[in-house]
């Protein structure tokens, strides 16, 4: 991490100081009840805790259906959590002594995956960008001025692109507009839900570089959600790996990619396409689909697809254990006292 | 902050900026207008509709005779008899004049219920669609009950029970059109509500009313408008039908449906003249139908 | 599957209940006191009280509704004010006569409308398509009561081929569709009634066929080397369930919507009964007929839905 990436000057809105995480997530949980299923529910996010540090890019990876998008929406209270708490820069969100959801949304924004449906088809894109500042109290003229400015900052000529409608833009251009829209309200934190997944590889790189540049310029903090390990490696400072609504591993990006601890992380890394013929598949890549999140497997949720699964894994759920350097993972093999035959050997 | 920022790397790709050629940018409604102007059939039938409406509005100036002036000797005369271009009716009144005047009532009874139903049904549909949950269930299940009646039957039932008359007829038609209108608006709203840009708007902290005004209405208006335009033709047919059954205006007021009904007794004398009010209804209904089809096509822009 | 059928049936019950509430309240839409239709104009205050008690008008509305509903369920719709006969008997006869028209009109409309739509859908944009679309617009824009008059003028008055009105000299009770002397009376009303469904079915079929032809599986069939006729057979099989559903709905619409046509032809069906009831301000008949027709409509919709879900498991609307 270069010193440039660390926030050199603190935001005037900063309250907790440099060491206070921008966002603390504690035991966040959201189950979606299924109609007519006798009270059963999809356990989309099932007790998740982590911190987002000021000025970092936290990558969140996992297969589709693991609860990434739900997590993204929970962080902005677009979906109400069933349980758990969010602490934004020292203030608890939606709590008596803390800050309101509206106040959170003044400081945090989101970029959505589907660049088509995330822009109003009946609005010129400059109005979509100006909507946020307008809603947050800027006069119309000022909001338009901000929109022009933001479009320019994401690399779109405001005179040329501002009056256009979403269907007149390419996927990459639309995603730039989405970024402009998210930044128009001058947030401190941006949650990016698969922002480049729908784009061509060439455009993807451009948008990723734009996001990096903007982060530096506006002193932002990102939560970057993706299913693409390569993208996450490219952009993140730290990486969080999710499986079926739970965190399985979390650590600095280099640590995760060079010393993955959890079998699931390893499988994910092994299954990504590589240009290097020398890189052999050492791990069996993940096969099949993840189990149904309605009735996740007992004990360790990954055991049904894990090559090292033992009877123990079905009965007891592994806790996140620290490996030093801020690297944590949840696997019985990492806990010498767990009783797993490979325990200790892995670490 | 300065407007020109140089990004490192390839953050701003030169070719992407130039990818879109310089074209005139039209708003949605501008492009609909453009398509409509270039659709010859729709322009033609639109002009017809305009002429029909104008002829009804300008009836007092256009009508060659007093539509209520009866004549004992001039009853049921064929077309062209003594300057009566379209003949006379069973009381010797000039058919052309009565058809012109009749258009006023028939068009009014056809169009007004659609306007009222569009406002009421549209509003209910947007509320049901945007609120979802129990509100949606409550509104839509109530609508389902009215859906359970064939439209003609419901119109006849309500206006028949209320004892007929023009305002009762219009009220009945309005009630008939509210449920389908509501359903169209509800479907459109539900679809829009699920899109990410609504969530993005919520993420900026916008309230429900602001989101509905800025982001929902613009997207729901199209389908609602298309449906409303297709209802006009149905409404004119139903309204004339009610008059035909004696549930509309009272004689001697000129109205196409009522004229058709009273002239029915005389089909053995001047069959062609007796069929004329029906021709008027038919032509008006076709024109509105075709304009509505054209509108649907013009507005069906994938955006 | 069974679960879906049960759900669908259970869902129809509150609708039917709502329908009965609407029919019950029709009486209260009528201007003035509903009693006025029953009482002689010179009734004394005492008589009014007695009649009020006898009809249950002195009780609160929900109770009145409950009493009315419990009678209606057993087929007791009260007495007709005009004929003094049980409303139920009149309705049964009338609905039977209307049903006879509809049973002939719908297959006619389906065969013509479907063939037209199939032709148009197979040659989109061609002359056939344009003329079919044109005819279909005519069909749906047509005031069918006017068409009825024109039919009478042409075929009864001018050409004298067919009778203009009624069900023949022997009337409804002795009517037999198998005797031409009786069946002649059916021809004009049936043709007139089938016009609107022809237009609607032609439109639906055209849209369904055109849409199905654009699907990928048709490409696969062609690539497989299937002949055009065989391809069309596949297309029809896929487009049919939607068209059949529309046809079923039209069945219900005609049952309730034949009022204008029946009035012109003085065909003693449910519509004619209704228009007579309106003229005579015969509220029990009005109420009863509308209730029976609406419940029939709900039932038909239900049956159509269930049949469709049997044919095409993709369509299981909740």
């Amino acid at each position: 991490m270069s010193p440039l990436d660390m926030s050199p000057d603190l935001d005037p809105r900063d309250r907790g100081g440099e060491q206070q995480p921008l966002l603390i997530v504690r035991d966040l949980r959201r189950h979606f009840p299924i109609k007519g299923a006798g009270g059963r529910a999809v356990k989309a996010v099932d007790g998740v805790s982590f911190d987002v540090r000021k000025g970092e890019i936290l990558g969140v990876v996992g297969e589709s259906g693991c609860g990434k998008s739900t997590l993204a929406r929970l962080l902005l209270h677009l979906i109400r959590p069933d349980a758990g708490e969010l602490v934004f820069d020292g203030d608890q969100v939606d709590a008596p002594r803390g800050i309101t959801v509206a106040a959170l949304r003044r400081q945090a924004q989101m970029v959505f995956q589907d660049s088509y449906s995330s822009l109003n088809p009946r609005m010129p894109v400059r109005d979509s960008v100006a909507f946020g500042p307008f809603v947050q109290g800027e006069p119309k003229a000022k909001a338009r001025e901000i929109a022009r400015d933001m479009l320019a900052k994401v690399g779109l000529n405001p005179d040329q692109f501002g009056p256009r409608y979403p269907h007149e833009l390419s996927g990459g251009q639309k995603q730039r507009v989405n970024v402009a829209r998210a930044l128009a309200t001058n947030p401190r934190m941006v949650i990016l839900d698969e922002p480049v997944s729908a784009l061509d590889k060439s455009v993807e790189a451009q948008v990723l570089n734009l996001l990096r540049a903007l982060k530096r310029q506006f002193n932002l903090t990102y939560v970057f959600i993706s299913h693409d390990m390569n993208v996450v490696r490219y952009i993140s400072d730290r990486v969080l790996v999710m499986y079926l609504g739970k965190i399985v591993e979390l650590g600095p990006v280099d640590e995760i990619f060079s010393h993955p601890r959890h079998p699931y992380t390893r499988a994910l890394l092994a299954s990504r396409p590589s240009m290097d013929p020398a890189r052999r598949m050492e791990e069996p890549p993940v096969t099949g689909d993840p189990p149904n999140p309605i009735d996740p497997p007992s004990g360790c949720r990954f055991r049904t697809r894990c090559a090292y699964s033992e009877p123990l894994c079905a009965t007891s759920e592994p806790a996140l254990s620290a490996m030093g350097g801020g690297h944590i993972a949840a696997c019985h093999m990492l806990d010498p006292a767990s009783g797993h035959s490979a325990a200790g050997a892995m670490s | 902050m300065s407007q020109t920022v140089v990004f490192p790397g390839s953050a701003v790709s030169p070719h992407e900026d130039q990818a879109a050629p310089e074209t005139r940018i039209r708003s949605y409604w501008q492009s609909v207008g453009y398509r409509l102007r270039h659709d010859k059939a729709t322009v033609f039938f639109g002009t017809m509709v305009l002429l029909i409406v104008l002829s009804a509005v300008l009836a007092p100036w256009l009508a060659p005779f007093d539509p209520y002036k009866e004549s004992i000797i001039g009853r049921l005369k064929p077309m062209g008899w003594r300057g009566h271009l379209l003949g006379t009716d069973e009381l010797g009144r000039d058919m052309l004049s009565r058809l012109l005047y009749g258009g006023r009532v028939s068009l009014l009874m056809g169009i007004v219920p659609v306007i009222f139903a569009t406002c009421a049904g549209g509003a209910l549909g947007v509320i049901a669609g945007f609120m979802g949950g129990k509100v949606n269930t409550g509104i839509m299940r109530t609508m389902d009950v009215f859906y359970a009646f064939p439209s003609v039957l419901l119109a006849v039932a309500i206006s028949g029970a209320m004892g007929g008359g023009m305002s009762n007829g219009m009220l009945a038609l309005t009630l008939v059109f509210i449920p389908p209108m509501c359903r169209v608006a509800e479907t459109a709203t539900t679809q829009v509500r699920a899109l990410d840009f609504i969530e993005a708007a919520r993420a900026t902290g916008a309230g429900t009313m602001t989101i509905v005004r800025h982001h929902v209405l613009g997207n729901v208006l199209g389908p609602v408008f298309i449906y409303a335009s297709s209802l006009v033709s149905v409404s004119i047919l139903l309204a004339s039908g009610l008059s035909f059954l004696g549930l509309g205006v009272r004689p001697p007021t000129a109205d196409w449906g009522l004229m058709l009904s009273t002239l029915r007794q005389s089909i053995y004398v001047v069959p062609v003249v007796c069929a004329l009010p029906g021709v008027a209804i038919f032509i008006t209904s076709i024109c509105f139908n075709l304009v509505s089809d054209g509108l649907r096509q013009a507005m069906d822009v994938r955006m | 599957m069974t679960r879906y059928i049960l759900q669908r049936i259970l869902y129809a019950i509150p609708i039917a209940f709502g329908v009965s509430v609407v029919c019950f309240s029709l009486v209260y839409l009528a201007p003035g006191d509903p009693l006025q239709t029953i009482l002689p104009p010179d009734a004394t205050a005492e008589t009014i009280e007695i009649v009020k008690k006898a009809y249950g008008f002195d009780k609160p509305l929900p109770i009145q509704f409950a009493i009315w509903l419990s009678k209606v369920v057993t087929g007791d719709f009260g007495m007709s004010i005009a004929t003094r006969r049980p409303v139920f008997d009149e309705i049964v006869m009338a609905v039977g006569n209307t049903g006879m028209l509809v049973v002939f009109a719908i297959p006619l409309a389906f065969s013509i409308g479907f063939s037209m739509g199939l032709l148009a859908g197979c040659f989109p944009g061609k002359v056939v398509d344009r003329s079919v679309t044109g005819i279909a617009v005519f069909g749906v824009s047509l005031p069918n009561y006017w068409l009825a008059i024109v039919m009478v003028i042409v075929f009864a008055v001018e050409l004298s081929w067919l009778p203009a009105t009624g069900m023949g000299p022997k009337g409804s009770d002795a009517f037999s569709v198998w005797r031409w002397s009786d069946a002649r009376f059916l021809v004009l009303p049936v043709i007139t009634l089938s016009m609107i469904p022809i237009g609607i079915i032609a439109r639906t079929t055209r849209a369904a066929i055109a849409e199905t032809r654009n699907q990928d599986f048709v490409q696969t069939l062609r690539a497989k080397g299937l002949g055009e006729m065989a391809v069309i057979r596949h297309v029809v099989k896929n487009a049919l369930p939607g068209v059949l559903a529309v046809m079923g709905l039209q069945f219900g619409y005609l049952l309730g919507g034949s009022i204008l046509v029946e009035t012109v032809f003085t065909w003693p069906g449910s519509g004619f009964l209704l228009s007579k009831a309106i003229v005579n301000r015969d509220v029990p008949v009005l109420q009863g007929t509308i209730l029976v027709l609406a419940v029939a409509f709900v039932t038909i919709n239900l049956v159509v839905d269930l049949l469709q879900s049997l044919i095409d498991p993709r369509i299981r609307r909740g």
Side-chain angles (χ1 to χ4, degrees), chain B residues 141 144 148 157 161 237 240-241 275 278 285 289, chain C residues 11 15 30 141-142 145-146 153 203 278 290 297:
Chain B
R141 290 301 88 85
D144 282 353
L237 284 182
S240 308
S285 156
N289 237 329
Chain C
Y11 177 67
I15 298 286
S141 312
L142 201 67
Y145 41 99
W146 172 72
I153 292 174
R203 268 186 171 187
I278 289 166
I290 288 168
F297 190 59

PDB file of all heavy atoms in Angstrom, chain B residues 141 144 148 157 161 237 240-241 275 278 285 289, chain C residues 11 15 30 141-142 145-146 153 203 278 290 297:
ATOM      1  N   ARG B 141     -57.297  -6.712  -4.815  1.00  0.00           N
ATOM      2  CA  ARG B 141     -58.362  -7.703  -4.644  1.00  0.00           C
ATOM      3  C   ARG B 141     -59.725  -7.049  -4.846  1.00  0.00           C
ATOM      4  O   ARG B 141     -60.641  -7.643  -5.409  1.00  0.00           O
ATOM      5  CB  ARG B 141     -58.285  -8.350  -3.262  1.00  0.00           C
ATOM      6  CG  ARG B 141     -57.091  -9.290  -3.046  1.00  0.00           C
ATOM      7  CD  ARG B 141     -57.040 -10.441  -4.016  1.00  0.00           C
ATOM      8  NE  ARG B 141     -56.328 -10.108  -5.245  1.00  0.00           N
ATOM      9  CZ  ARG B 141     -55.009 -10.184  -5.398  1.00  0.00           C
ATOM     10  NH1 ARG B 141     -54.254 -10.599  -4.409  1.00  0.00           N
ATOM     11  NH2 ARG B 141     -54.447  -9.855  -6.542  1.00  0.00           N
ATOM     12  N   ASP B 144     -60.238  -6.871  -8.420  1.00  0.00           N
ATOM     13  CA  ASP B 144     -60.553  -8.194  -8.965  1.00  0.00           C
ATOM     14  C   ASP B 144     -62.049  -8.465  -8.930  1.00  0.00           C
ATOM     15  O   ASP B 144     -62.593  -9.104  -9.831  1.00  0.00           O
ATOM     16  CB  ASP B 144     -59.821  -9.294  -8.181  1.00  0.00           C
ATOM     17  CG  ASP B 144     -58.361  -9.387  -8.605  1.00  0.00           C
ATOM     18  OD1 ASP B 144     -58.002  -8.700  -9.580  1.00  0.00           O
ATOM     19  OD2 ASP B 144     -57.600 -10.123  -7.966  1.00  0.00           O
ATOM     20  N   ALA B 148     -64.567  -9.232 -12.191  1.00  0.00           N
ATOM     21  CA  ALA B 148     -65.340 -10.453 -12.345  1.00  0.00           C
ATOM     22  C   ALA B 148     -66.621 -10.223 -13.128  1.00  0.00           C
ATOM     23  O   ALA B 148     -67.353 -11.152 -13.408  1.00  0.00           O
ATOM     24  CB  ALA B 148     -65.662 -11.044 -10.980  1.00  0.00           C
ATOM     25  N   ALA B 157     -75.462  -2.789 -15.444  1.00  0.00           N
ATOM     26  CA  ALA B 157     -75.946  -3.002 -14.086  1.00  0.00           C
ATOM     27  C   ALA B 157     -75.942  -1.704 -13.293  1.00  0.00           C
ATOM     28  O   ALA B 157     -76.949  -1.331 -12.677  1.00  0.00           O
ATOM     29  CB  ALA B 157     -75.076  -4.045 -13.384  1.00  0.00           C
ATOM     30  N   ALA B 161     -79.282   0.281 -12.509  1.00  0.00           N
ATOM     31  CA  ALA B 161     -79.747   0.375 -11.130  1.00  0.00           C
ATOM     32  C   ALA B 161     -79.924   1.829 -10.720  1.00  0.00           C
ATOM     33  O   ALA B 161     -80.824   2.162  -9.947  1.00  0.00           O
ATOM     34  CB  ALA B 161     -78.751  -0.305 -10.197  1.00  0.00           C
ATOM     35  N   LEU B 237     -68.180   2.934 -27.779  1.00  0.00           N
ATOM     36  CA  LEU B 237     -69.094   1.833 -28.092  1.00  0.00           C
ATOM     37  C   LEU B 237     -70.035   1.553 -26.932  1.00  0.00           C
ATOM     38  O   LEU B 237     -71.241   1.401 -27.110  1.00  0.00           O
ATOM     39  CB  LEU B 237     -68.301   0.555 -28.413  1.00  0.00           C
ATOM     40  CG  LEU B 237     -67.626   0.474 -29.770  1.00  0.00           C
ATOM     41  CD1 LEU B 237     -66.936  -0.868 -29.922  1.00  0.00           C
ATOM     42  CD2 LEU B 237     -68.672   0.638 -30.864  1.00  0.00           C
ATOM     43  N   SER B 240     -72.584   4.454 -26.362  1.00  0.00           N
ATOM     44  CA  SER B 240     -73.673   4.402 -27.332  1.00  0.00           C
ATOM     45  C   SER B 240     -74.585   3.221 -27.034  1.00  0.00           C
ATOM     46  O   SER B 240     -75.792   3.311 -27.221  1.00  0.00           O
ATOM     47  CB  SER B 240     -73.110   4.265 -28.743  1.00  0.00           C
ATOM     48  OG  SER B 240     -72.162   5.251 -28.983  1.00  0.00           O
ATOM     49  N   GLY B 241     -73.982   2.130 -26.568  1.00  0.00           N
ATOM     50  CA  GLY B 241     -74.776   0.963 -26.207  1.00  0.00           C
ATOM     51  C   GLY B 241     -75.749   1.287 -25.076  1.00  0.00           C
ATOM     52  O   GLY B 241     -76.921   0.906 -25.118  1.00  0.00           O
ATOM     53  N   ALA B 275     -79.538   3.175 -40.624  1.00  0.00           N
ATOM     54  CA  ALA B 275     -78.239   2.617 -40.247  1.00  0.00           C
ATOM     55  C   ALA B 275     -77.202   3.716 -40.004  1.00  0.00           C
ATOM     56  O   ALA B 275     -76.127   3.444 -39.481  1.00  0.00           O
ATOM     57  CB  ALA B 275     -77.744   1.663 -41.334  1.00  0.00           C
ATOM     58  N   GLY B 278     -75.296   4.337 -36.640  1.00  0.00           N
ATOM     59  CA  GLY B 278     -74.348   3.255 -36.398  1.00  0.00           C
ATOM     60  C   GLY B 278     -73.065   3.460 -37.178  1.00  0.00           C
ATOM     61  O   GLY B 278     -71.969   3.199 -36.681  1.00  0.00           O
ATOM     62  N   SER B 285     -65.277   4.952 -33.759  1.00  0.00           N
ATOM     63  CA  SER B 285     -64.613   3.914 -32.978  1.00  0.00           C
ATOM     64  C   SER B 285     -63.370   3.386 -33.701  1.00  0.00           C
ATOM     65  O   SER B 285     -62.309   3.215 -33.097  1.00  0.00           O
ATOM     66  CB  SER B 285     -65.631   2.809 -32.708  1.00  0.00           C
ATOM     67  OG  SER B 285     -65.002   1.594 -32.473  1.00  0.00           O
ATOM     68  N   ASN B 289     -59.522   3.709 -32.505  1.00  0.00           N
ATOM     69  CA  ASN B 289     -58.782   2.459 -32.351  1.00  0.00           C
ATOM     70  C   ASN B 289     -57.458   2.497 -33.103  1.00  0.00           C
ATOM     71  O   ASN B 289     -56.420   2.103 -32.582  1.00  0.00           O
ATOM     72  CB  ASN B 289     -59.620   1.310 -32.898  1.00  0.00           C
ATOM     73  CG  ASN B 289     -59.847   0.244 -31.860  1.00  0.00           C
ATOM     74  OD1 ASN B 289     -58.995   0.035 -31.009  1.00  0.00           O
ATOM     75  ND2 ASN B 289     -60.983  -0.405 -31.925  1.00  0.00           N
TER      76      ASN B 289
ATOM     77  N   TYR C  11     -59.143 -19.030  -4.087  1.00  0.00           N
ATOM     78  CA  TYR C  11     -59.042 -17.627  -4.421  1.00  0.00           C
ATOM     79  C   TYR C  11     -60.324 -17.111  -5.067  1.00  0.00           C
ATOM     80  O   TYR C  11     -60.684 -15.943  -4.926  1.00  0.00           O
ATOM     81  CB  TYR C  11     -57.852 -17.425  -5.353  1.00  0.00           C
ATOM     82  CG  TYR C  11     -57.702 -16.016  -5.808  1.00  0.00           C
ATOM     83  CD1 TYR C  11     -57.365 -15.009  -4.898  1.00  0.00           C
ATOM     84  CD2 TYR C  11     -57.914 -15.663  -7.132  1.00  0.00           C
ATOM     85  CE1 TYR C  11     -57.243 -13.711  -5.299  1.00  0.00           C
ATOM     86  CE2 TYR C  11     -57.782 -14.359  -7.538  1.00  0.00           C
ATOM     87  CZ  TYR C  11     -57.453 -13.389  -6.627  1.00  0.00           C
ATOM     88  OH  TYR C  11     -57.345 -12.114  -7.022  1.00  0.00           O
ATOM     89  N   ILE C  15     -63.704 -13.701  -4.326  1.00  0.00           N
ATOM     90  CA  ILE C  15     -64.151 -12.920  -5.479  1.00  0.00           C
ATOM     91  C   ILE C  15     -65.660 -13.071  -5.638  1.00  0.00           C
ATOM     92  O   ILE C  15     -66.389 -12.086  -5.788  1.00  0.00           O
ATOM     93  CB  ILE C  15     -63.443 -13.396  -6.766  1.00  0.00           C
ATOM     94  CG1 ILE C  15     -61.925 -13.203  -6.657  1.00  0.00           C
ATOM     95  CG2 ILE C  15     -63.989 -12.686  -7.989  1.00  0.00           C
ATOM     96  CD1 ILE C  15     -61.461 -11.802  -6.776  1.00  0.00           C
ATOM     97  N   ALA C  30     -80.089   2.414  -6.603  1.00  0.00           N
ATOM     98  CA  ALA C  30     -81.302   2.933  -7.209  1.00  0.00           C
ATOM     99  C   ALA C  30     -81.757   4.186  -6.457  1.00  0.00           C
ATOM    100  O   ALA C  30     -81.672   4.235  -5.243  1.00  0.00           O
ATOM    101  CB  ALA C  30     -82.399   1.873  -7.180  1.00  0.00           C
ATOM    102  N   SER C 141     -63.907  -2.770 -33.443  1.00  0.00           N
ATOM    103  CA  SER C 141     -64.466  -1.416 -33.391  1.00  0.00           C
ATOM    104  C   SER C 141     -65.959  -1.405 -33.678  1.00  0.00           C
ATOM    105  O   SER C 141     -66.598  -0.365 -33.639  1.00  0.00           O
ATOM    106  CB  SER C 141     -63.777  -0.508 -34.412  1.00  0.00           C
ATOM    107  OG  SER C 141     -62.395  -0.617 -34.335  1.00  0.00           O
ATOM    108  N   LEU C 142     -66.480  -2.579 -34.013  1.00  0.00           N
ATOM    109  CA  LEU C 142     -67.854  -2.650 -34.493  1.00  0.00           C
ATOM    110  C   LEU C 142     -68.853  -2.534 -33.344  1.00  0.00           C
ATOM    111  O   LEU C 142     -68.757  -3.257 -32.374  1.00  0.00           O
ATOM    112  CB  LEU C 142     -68.031  -4.013 -35.169  1.00  0.00           C
ATOM    113  CG  LEU C 142     -69.158  -4.183 -36.149  1.00  0.00           C
ATOM    114  CD1 LEU C 142     -68.924  -3.339 -37.377  1.00  0.00           C
ATOM    115  CD2 LEU C 142     -69.255  -5.646 -36.539  1.00  0.00           C
ATOM    116  N   TYR C 145     -74.535  -4.031 -31.867  1.00  0.00           N
ATOM    117  CA  TYR C 145     -75.985  -3.807 -31.941  1.00  0.00           C
ATOM    118  C   TYR C 145     -76.338  -3.148 -33.272  1.00  0.00           C
ATOM    119  O   TYR C 145     -77.394  -3.366 -33.831  1.00  0.00           O
ATOM    120  CB  TYR C 145     -76.467  -2.951 -30.770  1.00  0.00           C
ATOM    121  CG  TYR C 145     -75.564  -1.803 -30.424  1.00  0.00           C
ATOM    122  CD1 TYR C 145     -75.840  -0.518 -30.867  1.00  0.00           C
ATOM    123  CD2 TYR C 145     -74.418  -1.997 -29.652  1.00  0.00           C
ATOM    124  CE1 TYR C 145     -74.999   0.535 -30.546  1.00  0.00           C
ATOM    125  CE2 TYR C 145     -73.584  -0.953 -29.331  1.00  0.00           C
ATOM    126  CZ  TYR C 145     -73.875   0.309 -29.788  1.00  0.00           C
ATOM    127  OH  TYR C 145     -73.043   1.349 -29.475  1.00  0.00           O
ATOM    128  N   TRP C 146     -75.405  -2.346 -33.788  1.00  0.00           N
ATOM    129  CA  TRP C 146     -75.636  -1.753 -35.109  1.00  0.00           C
ATOM    130  C   TRP C 146     -75.527  -2.816 -36.196  1.00  0.00           C
ATOM    131  O   TRP C 146     -76.344  -2.883 -37.103  1.00  0.00           O
ATOM    132  CB  TRP C 146     -74.627  -0.627 -35.343  1.00  0.00           C
ATOM    133  CG  TRP C 146     -74.662  -0.077 -36.731  1.00  0.00           C
ATOM    134  CD1 TRP C 146     -75.645   0.706 -37.277  1.00  0.00           C
ATOM    135  CD2 TRP C 146     -73.694  -0.277 -37.758  1.00  0.00           C
ATOM    136  NE1 TRP C 146     -75.328   1.016 -38.576  1.00  0.00           N
ATOM    137  CE2 TRP C 146     -74.138   0.421 -38.902  1.00  0.00           C
ATOM    138  CE3 TRP C 146     -72.482  -0.974 -37.829  1.00  0.00           C
ATOM    139  CZ2 TRP C 146     -73.424   0.440 -40.093  1.00  0.00           C
ATOM    140  CZ3 TRP C 146     -71.772  -0.947 -39.015  1.00  0.00           C
ATOM    141  CH2 TRP C 146     -72.238  -0.250 -40.138  1.00  0.00           C
ATOM    142  N   ILE C 153     -81.625  -5.619 -41.657  1.00  0.00           N
ATOM    143  CA  ILE C 153     -81.985  -4.877 -42.875  1.00  0.00           C
ATOM    144  C   ILE C 153     -81.645  -5.700 -44.105  1.00  0.00           C
ATOM    145  O   ILE C 153     -82.477  -5.882 -45.003  1.00  0.00           O
ATOM    146  CB  ILE C 153     -81.238  -3.522 -42.923  1.00  0.00           C
ATOM    147  CG1 ILE C 153     -81.754  -2.588 -41.825  1.00  0.00           C
ATOM    148  CG2 ILE C 153     -81.427  -2.859 -44.287  1.00  0.00           C
ATOM    149  CD1 ILE C 153     -80.995  -1.290 -41.710  1.00  0.00           C
ATOM    150  N   ARG C 203     -56.502 -11.252 -33.656  1.00  0.00           N
ATOM    151  CA  ARG C 203     -55.396 -10.434 -33.156  1.00  0.00           C
ATOM    152  C   ARG C 203     -54.486 -11.241 -32.234  1.00  0.00           C
ATOM    153  O   ARG C 203     -53.265 -11.232 -32.382  1.00  0.00           O
ATOM    154  CB  ARG C 203     -55.940  -9.261 -32.334  1.00  0.00           C
ATOM    155  CG  ARG C 203     -56.168  -8.014 -33.113  1.00  0.00           C
ATOM    156  CD  ARG C 203     -56.552  -6.928 -32.143  1.00  0.00           C
ATOM    157  NE  ARG C 203     -56.585  -5.629 -32.822  1.00  0.00           N
ATOM    158  CZ  ARG C 203     -56.754  -4.494 -32.189  1.00  0.00           C
ATOM    159  NH1 ARG C 203     -56.876  -4.474 -30.882  1.00  0.00           N
ATOM    160  NH2 ARG C 203     -56.775  -3.364 -32.848  1.00  0.00           N
ATOM    161  N   ILE C 278     -84.642  -3.498 -16.841  1.00  0.00           N
ATOM    162  CA  ILE C 278     -84.281  -2.097 -16.715  1.00  0.00           C
ATOM    163  C   ILE C 278     -85.470  -1.213 -17.058  1.00  0.00           C
ATOM    164  O   ILE C 278     -85.795  -0.268 -16.341  1.00  0.00           O
ATOM    165  CB  ILE C 278     -83.074  -1.774 -17.622  1.00  0.00           C
ATOM    166  CG1 ILE C 278     -81.815  -2.432 -17.053  1.00  0.00           C
ATOM    167  CG2 ILE C 278     -82.873  -0.279 -17.753  1.00  0.00           C
ATOM    168  CD1 ILE C 278     -80.664  -2.452 -18.020  1.00  0.00           C
ATOM    169  N   ILE C 290     -77.778 -10.333 -12.961  1.00  0.00           N
ATOM    170  CA  ILE C 290     -76.382  -9.901 -12.925  1.00  0.00           C
ATOM    171  C   ILE C 290     -75.557 -10.814 -12.038  1.00  0.00           C
ATOM    172  O   ILE C 290     -74.440 -11.194 -12.384  1.00  0.00           O
ATOM    173  CB  ILE C 290     -76.302  -8.426 -12.493  1.00  0.00           C
ATOM    174  CG1 ILE C 290     -76.803  -7.559 -13.640  1.00  0.00           C
ATOM    175  CG2 ILE C 290     -74.886  -8.048 -12.122  1.00  0.00           C
ATOM    176  CD1 ILE C 290     -77.045  -6.148 -13.284  1.00  0.00           C
ATOM    177  N   PHE C 297     -69.325 -15.967 -14.974  1.00  0.00           N
ATOM    178  CA  PHE C 297     -68.094 -15.418 -15.542  1.00  0.00           C
ATOM    179  C   PHE C 297     -66.884 -15.800 -14.687  1.00  0.00           C
ATOM    180  O   PHE C 297     -65.852 -16.230 -15.198  1.00  0.00           O
ATOM    181  CB  PHE C 297     -68.247 -13.893 -15.629  1.00  0.00           C
ATOM    182  CG  PHE C 297     -67.160 -13.208 -16.409  1.00  0.00           C
ATOM    183  CD1 PHE C 297     -66.934 -13.526 -17.736  1.00  0.00           C
ATOM    184  CD2 PHE C 297     -66.385 -12.225 -15.817  1.00  0.00           C
ATOM    185  CE1 PHE C 297     -65.941 -12.879 -18.460  1.00  0.00           C
ATOM    186  CE2 PHE C 297     -65.392 -11.585 -16.531  1.00  0.00           C
ATOM    187  CZ  PHE C 297     -65.171 -11.909 -17.856  1.00  0.00           C
TER     188      PHE C 297
END
